[in-house]
Amino acid sequence: MSIFDEKKGNGGYAASTATNEIIVSEADYDYKNDFQDVDRSNAGSAKTAYYNVVCVIAGTGTLGLPFALRQGGWIGILILFLAWFMSTYTGVILIRCLYAKGNRRLSSYKDVATASFGAIGGWIVFFFNAWILIGAPVLYMVLSGSNLQHLTAHTAGAIGDIPWTIISCAVVAIPFVFVKSMKEMAWMSAFGAGATLVTVLIVLVVACIDKKSLPPVHHDNVIWDQFPIALSTISFSFGGNVIYPHVEKSMRRRQDWPKVAAAGLATCALMYFLTAIPGYYIYGDTVQSPIYNSIPEGVPQIIAIVLMTLHVMLAAPLLLTSFALDVEEMLNITVERFGRVLEFVIRCSLRIGIMAVVGVIACTVPHFDLLMSLIGSFSNCGLIFIFPVVFYLRLTGFRNKPIYELAWCALIVLLGIVGLVFGTIDSIRGLIKAYQ
């Protein structure tokens, strides 16, 4: 049985009658027969939405989690489980919030925040959302440029990190500018998800083979002074909430969203376990981030770098498209208002401008990765754990929830606050050290 079953004749979600699922709560929506949903006549399938979720969430998290275990010790596995279950829950309730106010579906994360706490709350969430949707592609372009420079080292193609970053931006701009919706990104998402899975398998096989020739390594059960930082890294690995409203909007059957979120996050969690546990077990306190830097140099490592470069270049348009759709809706850039030709020109100009901003930041801003970590500590922890729970209780009520669900919500918010506080402290220390 799915977590939520769609109630026929309206646009909301009715709760499942299963009482043993932590995600389930009683139906607390004011259903109306005239509920206005988005136009789903040309929407995609649950499978395309699943690919979008996996492509955005997996990838960099997959490669960095072995190092997170090195920072915090084996207890990080418990945090990984918690973050997986919590992000699945918040991904479901965030979409429920879209149907909880008035007689129409809310459009975006910002709309949910506005419905909950007014215009100020909406603009705060929009800032955090925009920081992730723009900042993550900036880091992806920097990573792509450095990877391509590494792959072309000692050849005529070694033109430098910045030129390769510019080329990466130009390549990403093609689908971002000309592909209008998340549905049309499905083939890119499927390829990106496949590239990540192949990379995971390559690293897993090579690391297992490499173990025979390695000296004994050291492991820790828990490293308390580094544990909060590891917690922040692990928590951030499930950050897909920034695109969920647009992914769900691209689905033909909205009632399938809980299954899509659960399946997508479970797939990412499986890939995380396949790299985190063997990576830390084999390389111990010598493991590096990304994990493919720990395996021996050679063809497998080159293939892994190539595939992950492809992955980040395919994931970046998904994040940028989600941001562009929010801005285009705020500016009312529609065919009905401007006509087909003028709408296309305005939309393309806007997206080219966004891509230019991404390229300029990637090539010029010093220590942007540390700055991204600083604001990302607020953004990710808030958007993944804290805000969905607060908005959900605000829009659907507090007293009508069972005590176990309220306890679960409190634990989620606590994890988010811990990650926010210690992630921010670590980022500030990193910025101070870099500028000194």
Side-chain angles (χ1 to χ4, degrees):
M1 178 179 290
S2 64
I3 296 172
F4 301 105
D5 299 317
E6 183 182 23
K7 190 174 182 179
K8 295 181 180 179
N10 61 65
Y13 290 106
S16 165
T17 57
T19 58
N20 60 342
E21 297 184 41
I22 188 67
I23 293 179
V24 174
S25 67
E26 65 277 10
D28 38 46
Y29 299 102
D30 180 19
Y31 294 115
K32 294 178 173 63
N33 290 328
D34 60 346
F35 193 93
Q36 300 175 21
D37 194 11
V38 295
D39 180 14
R40 299 179 187 269
S41 57
N42 296 316
S45 65
K47 184 182 294 185
T48 60
Y50 163 81
Y51 290 142
N52 286 334
V53 171
V54 175
C55 184
V56 167
I57 297 177
T60 52
T62 305
L63 303 179
L65 283 175
F67 188 79
L69 293 186
R70 169 185 167 179
Q71 290 178 309
W74 285 117
I75 196 174
I77 299 298
L78 173 61
I79 302 301
L80 189 56
F81 270 106
L82 279 176
W84 170 21
F85 296 144
M86 289 177 175
S87 60
T88 302
Y89 175 80
T90 59
V92 171
I93 63 174
L94 174 62
I95 298 304
R96 293 190 69 185
C97 289
L98 297 175
Y99 296 88
K101 189 75 172 179
N103 65 343
R104 68 176 183 87
R105 178 192 184 275
L106 300 176
S107 298
S108 64
Y109 211 146
K110 176 180 178 293
D111 285 350
V112 172
T114 301
S116 301
F117 294 101
I120 295 178
W123 285 111
I124 291 174
V125 166
F126 178 77
F127 171 78
F128 287 159
N129 217 39
W131 185 262
I132 299 300
L133 293 174
I134 294 294
V138 169
L139 295 182
Y140 286 171
M141 294 302 94
V142 173
L143 176 62
S144 175
S146 63
N147 281 354
L148 291 171
Q149 174 65 16
H150 174 76
L151 291 171
T152 57
H154 310 298
T155 71
I159 56 179
D161 287 3
I162 291 179
W164 275 120
T165 299
I166 295 172
I167 292 173
S168 300
C169 291
V171 172
V172 167
I174 296 173
F176 171 54
V177 170
F178 292 103
V179 177
K180 186 174 183 179
S181 67
M182 301 294 285
K183 172 195 169 185
E184 296 165 335
M185 293 279 189
W187 67 271
M188 297 176 59
S189 300
F191 188 87
T196 304
L197 178 60
V198 173
T199 304
V200 168
L201 295 177
I202 289 174
V203 171
L204 177 63
V205 171
V206 174
C208 291
I209 295 174
D210 194 32
K211 185 180 185 304
K212 300 176 182 178
S213 59
L214 291 175
V217 292
H218 177 74
H219 304 92
D220 292 285
N221 292 325
V222 59
I223 305 173
W224 290 114
D225 59 338
Q226 294 291 312
F227 173 71
I229 302 172
L231 185 151
S232 299
T233 303
I234 294 169
S235 300
F236 296 164
S237 300
F238 291 96
N241 288 18
V242 289
I243 70 161
Y244 287 168
H246 291 296
V247 173
E248 191 267 354
K249 182 180 179 179
S250 71
M251 293 173 57
R252 187 179 303 112
R253 289 171 47 86
R254 61 181 179 270
Q255 64 268 34
D256 289 338
W257 170 253
K259 292 184 288 187
V260 169
L265 288 166
T267 301
C268 295
L270 175 62
M271 288 192 283
Y272 291 167
F273 288 125
L274 285 176
T275 55
I277 297 176
Y280 183 55
Y281 175 74
I282 293 172
Y283 296 106
D285 56 354
T286 65
V287 70
Q288 301 179 53
S289 179
I291 181 61
Y292 54 64
N293 287 337
S294 293
I295 65 177
E297 294 183 358
V299 174
Q301 187 190 60
I302 292 175
I303 295 175
I305 295 174
V306 169
L307 290 175
M308 288 314 302
T309 303
L310 290 174
H311 168 84
V312 298
M313 294 182 71
L314 293 172
L318 291 171
L319 296 165
L320 292 170
T321 298
S322 183
F323 175 73
L325 290 173
D326 282 342
V327 175
E328 288 160 12
E329 184 167 353
M330 291 167 57
L331 299 177
N332 194 24
I333 301 175
T334 61
V335 175
E336 291 76 17
R337 180 184 179 189
F338 295 104
R340 189 173 300 276
V341 175
L342 186 56
E343 183 272 344
F344 176 79
V345 172
I346 295 174
R347 176 166 50 84
C348 288
S349 300
L350 173 65
R351 297 193 179 197
I352 290 172
I354 293 172
M355 198 68 239
V357 170
V358 170
V360 170
I361 295 174
C363 294
T364 61
V365 176
H367 310 302
F368 181 79
D369 55 339
L370 296 175
L371 184 61
M372 177 72 187
S373 297
L374 176 59
I375 302 183
S377 299
F378 287 93
S379 302
N380 268 310
C381 287
L383 295 170
I384 300 169
F385 298 115
I386 302 172
F387 293 156
V389 171
V390 173
F391 297 159
Y392 175 61
L393 295 178
R394 174 77 171 178
L395 292 174
T396 66
F398 183 86
R399 297 178 181 273
N400 56 0
K401 303 295 186 295
I403 188 66
Y404 63 82
E405 185 173 14
L406 294 177
W408 179 241
C409 289
L411 183 61
I412 293 173
V413 173
L414 177 62
L415 182 71
I417 292 174
V418 171
L420 185 154
V421 171
F422 288 100
T424 301
I425 292 173
D426 179 60
S427 300
I428 292 174
R429 287 174 177 170
L431 275 171
I432 292 174
K433 182 177 179 181
Y435 281 102
Q436 285 178 341

